[in-house]
Amino acid sequence: MAPHTPARHLDGAMTAVARAARVDTLLGDPYEPGNPAGHRASLDADRSAVVPRGAESVLESFGMNAEIVPRALGGRFDSVEGLSLVLRPVFRRDVALGAGNGLNTFAAASAVWLAGSLEQRGRLARHLLSGGRTAVVAYEAAHTHEHRRGEVPAVSGAAGTLSITGFKPAVLNLWRADALVVFCRAAGRHGGDGPCALLLDPRRLPADRCWAVRRRLPELGGLRGYVRSGAWFDACPVPRETLLGAPGTGLATSLRSGGIHQVLAAGATVAALGTTLRTAVGAHRAALRRRHDDQAGAALLTGALADLLTYDSLAVVASRSLHLRPAEAGVLAAAAASLQPQICTDTTYNMVPVLGAWFQTADDAVSMIHKSLADMQAIGFGDVGVAVGRSVVVSALPRLARAFSWARQETPAEVFRPGAELPPFPYGDPSGSGDTKDLGGTLAAVAASLPGHGPVERSLRTLAEHITAELRGLRVRALALAPPEPNSVAGPAWYALADRYAWVLAAEAVLGVWHHHRDDDFLADPAWATVALHRVAGRLGLRVAEPPPECARRVHREVLGRFDMRRSYDLYGTPITA
């Protein structure tokens, strides 16, 4: 790992909110044609299959890599929620930029922070703080998407070495990485030492045993500037000191770092879709000026904001649970991953009628919507994310059903308070950190506590009771099914339950965020939670009455207000450049 030019340092006392605002200011107005970090520059770079160097230079001047490195190692990372906040302004502008200069870096580095030795952690921290780049070869077998396909097995070798063989056709940032994290499967009849993770310096690997294979770039598709090559290993020897953790722990490290990645990806999705919503609101505003009425557009925009706040509630609760209730965080992260494609697709295509014929034009703002969809699919938020997320939820459902009890205590309020202070991130084994139950206690407690004085609160209480009944039914059905066999594919009934349970978790997160939020007039208003839960109930096929009309009016007013005041379409509602 060669030395690089150190990035400019920020005041260490700056909060994540302040640092996110700094990133937003530095990146500037994305609609300004001459902005090197704007939409025009991103689109031009994508068409040429190169990285947007102007935007990357801005992030380098900010010192984005320092956001990845824990404070104890000289960086600024102190919480997953804080990192998500800092990455959101980047993803609001360009998903590929955020993936190549933040999300992918953390995907690689988190394995080292979780499992690496003191020497390995310190070495990678110095590498990142001096501007170095990393790449990760993920521990995943053949999947539907090229970026996730392939397999890199590891076998024991002579003289205390390991030997790796395999091919991954597309690896993000591999072409410019000088640190490489490789998740390896066990190879051979007896599995060797078991799955493992390695921290490699690609320049020190034997040139005749490993290659960065240049890939053919598709005419269409995402991350065109960031995925230029794949990794090919042919009985490539690597020293045992490159192991991250003990032999055989690679799968556990992969699952844990993957859960953190899923949480960050959920926040990135909310940010990117917020830009889509903002573009649609601009079209809606124009329609209102022309004909003074656009009720259909208003309904679609209201639903879109409710969906984004629902998904962000799940993402924020998952990110805070990584610190406060880490034993539960894996299921929450998996639920977020399994719902992401549906939220992404539904939100985007529900905006098409609002955008009208404009959606078929080559306008920069509309072109960025198409590009964002392609980039998110290429990162693996799509089919692969659903499959992995569902599998994790399915594996947890039998245990959760058996352990379920309505008598247990409500989840601590701090889990549901975005931006509230968090304890240090727990890098150790989370298995003994608290119980491993879900958020059902919060659902039951909030549903029972709703007084129902007015029509909106009565509607919210009824919706909460319906979803509570859904959770009861899920438990009964889970207990009636034969548990999935280990190392086998679960049946469709289990995956159907996993989908429904993910939506119930999202509804619980909404109720918890609303119930414990008192600092923001809109989030403390039951109107948004009522609209959000009504839409979740619809996805679950529950027959419920329409919310009072005033709920939609209040949410629509918030949609327009955030557009006019330039505030983000998420739980934080932070000021943004554009």
Side-chain angles (χ1 to χ4, degrees):
M1 302 178 190
H4 298 266
T5 303
R8 182 165 54 84
H9 293 288
L10 294 179
D11 180 357
M14 286 181 68
T15 64
V17 172
R19 300 198 306 275
R22 179 63 176 159
V23 173
D24 186 72
T25 300
L26 288 172
L27 289 172
D29 185 348
Y31 301 100
E32 173 58 46
N35 181 1
H39 290 336
R40 180 71 55 81
S42 292
L43 291 167
D44 288 345
D46 187 65
R47 293 185 188 106
S48 301
V50 298
V51 299
R53 279 304 305 159
E56 289 200 337
S57 295
V58 171
L59 297 182
E60 289 166 3
S61 71
F62 168 76
M64 182 58 77
N65 276 5
E67 298 293 332
I68 309 297
V69 178
R71 286 191 181 274
L73 295 173
R76 298 193 290 261
F77 174 78
D78 47 21
S79 74
V80 176
E81 184 186 18
L83 177 57
S84 176
L85 273 170
V86 175
L87 288 177
R88 288 186 186 212
V90 188
F91 277 91
R92 277 200 298 270
R93 287 163 171 80
D94 185 352
V95 171
L97 178 68
N101 295 272
L103 189 62
N104 182 256
T105 304
F106 194 81
S110 61
V112 182
W113 311 147
L114 292 170
S117 65
L118 288 175
E119 191 277 331
Q120 287 170 323
R121 294 199 296 269
R123 180 156 44 96
L124 185 64
R126 291 189 295 273
H127 171 70
L128 291 174
L129 292 173
S130 63
R133 295 190 179 276
T134 65
V136 57
V137 178
Y139 170 72
E140 290 178 281
H143 285 305
T144 55
H145 201 282
E146 179 189 18
H147 292 197
R148 297 295 184 102
R149 195 181 303 131
E151 181 175 332
V152 182
V155 295
S156 296
T161 66
L162 296 173
S163 171
I164 55 178
T165 300
F167 175 55
K168 296 286 284 191
V171 178
L172 192 70
N173 272 337
L174 178 65
W175 60 278
R176 57 180 181 170
D178 31 27
L180 184 63
V181 172
V182 182
F183 287 103
C184 303
R185 290 185 176 276
R189 290 174 61 184
H190 303 291
D193 289 321
C196 63
L198 308 169
L199 174 60
L200 306 175
D201 184 339
R203 296 161 309 160
R204 296 187 178 181
L205 299 177
D208 61 339
R209 291 296 178 182
C210 66
W211 302 269
V213 181
R214 188 171 182 83
R215 65 189 289 263
R216 179 186 176 191
L217 291 170
E219 291 299 319
L220 299 174
L223 307 179
R224 285 168 47 80
Y226 289 90
V227 186
R228 296 185 182 180
S229 57
W232 194 348
F233 301 92
D234 181 13
C236 180
V238 294
R240 274 189 174 267
E241 54 264 29
T242 62
L243 275 171
L244 293 172
T249 60
L251 179 57
T253 300
S254 175
L255 290 174
R256 218 181 145 204
S257 63
I260 301 170
H261 179 273
Q262 289 169 335
V263 171
L264 291 171
T269 298
V270 173
L273 293 178
T275 298
T276 299
L277 177 55
R278 183 164 297 275
T279 302
V281 175
H284 176 60
R285 279 291 201 197
L288 291 176
R289 287 194 296 270
R290 289 194 306 270
R291 56 179 183 267
H292 308 292
D293 182 37
D294 185 15
Q295 293 184 7
L300 290 171
L301 297 174
T302 296
L305 179 59
D307 286 348
L308 285 189
L309 294 177
T310 297
Y311 193 59
D312 205 19
S313 296
L314 182 57
V316 168
V317 168
S319 69
R320 297 183 62 78
S321 294
L322 285 164
H323 295 254
L324 296 166
R325 296 171 76 84
E328 295 177 357
V331 174
L332 291 165
S338 69
L339 297 183
Q340 188 276 342
Q342 190 171 348
I343 289 287
C344 179
T345 303
D346 288 357
T347 302
T348 300
Y349 288 107
N350 282 345
M351 296 299 97
V352 173
V354 185
L355 293 167
W358 191 23
F359 191 69
Q360 304 300 325
T361 69
D363 178 88
D364 285 353
V366 174
S367 295
M368 285 302 296
I369 295 176
H370 293 288
K371 180 180 180 306
S372 291
L373 280 173
D375 287 340
M376 283 191 281
Q377 178 64 30
I379 291 171
F381 293 4
D383 294 339
V384 174
V386 172
V388 174
R390 281 177 176 169
S391 296
V392 172
V393 176
V394 165
S395 67
L397 272 176
R399 170 181 51 79
L400 292 172
R402 291 191 300 270
F404 190 85
S405 170
W406 291 108
R408 69 176 177 276
Q409 293 184 343
E410 185 180 351
T411 299
E414 289 77 11
V415 171
F416 301 102
R417 289 176 174 157
E421 188 174 353
L422 287 167
F425 183 79
Y427 289 100
D429 183 0
S431 59
S433 303
D435 61 45
T436 57
K437 298 173 184 175
D438 62 298
L439 301 178
T442 293
L443 176 61
V446 175
S449 69
L450 284 166
H453 294 315
V456 175
E457 283 196 351
R458 283 197 295 272
S459 179
L460 181 59
R461 183 179 64 188
T462 299
L463 286 163
E465 289 170 349
H466 274 86
I467 294 173
T468 301
E470 172 68 19
L471 182 57
R472 290 180 186 271
L474 286 175
R475 176 178 180 267
V476 171
R477 279 174 276 174
L479 290 174
L481 286 174
E485 292 293 330
N487 303 317
S488 64
V489 178
W494 277 111
Y495 286 107
L497 288 183
D499 286 344
R500 300 181 73 81
Y501 185 62
W503 282 114
V504 169
L505 286 178
E508 290 177 307
V510 167
L511 273 178
V513 169
W514 167 77
H515 182 66
H516 293 291
H517 211 294
R518 297 292 179 265
D519 299 330
D520 181 282
D521 290 341
F522 174 70
L523 292 180
D525 187 336
W528 78 271
T530 302
V531 175
L533 260 62
H534 184 264
R535 293 180 67 81
V536 171
R539 294 178 188 275
L540 291 170
L542 306 180
R543 299 182 65 180
V544 293
E546 289 288 329
E550 60 197 274
C551 294
R553 287 196 295 268
R554 292 182 199 174
V555 177
H556 181 242
R557 188 163 59 242
E558 183 74 8
V559 170
L560 299 182
R562 292 195 186 195
F563 179 85
D564 295 336
M565 297 176 65
R566 294 189 175 184
R567 293 171 55 212
S568 60
Y569 286 121
D570 57 14
L571 289 177
Y572 303 95
T574 52
I576 61 176
T577 302

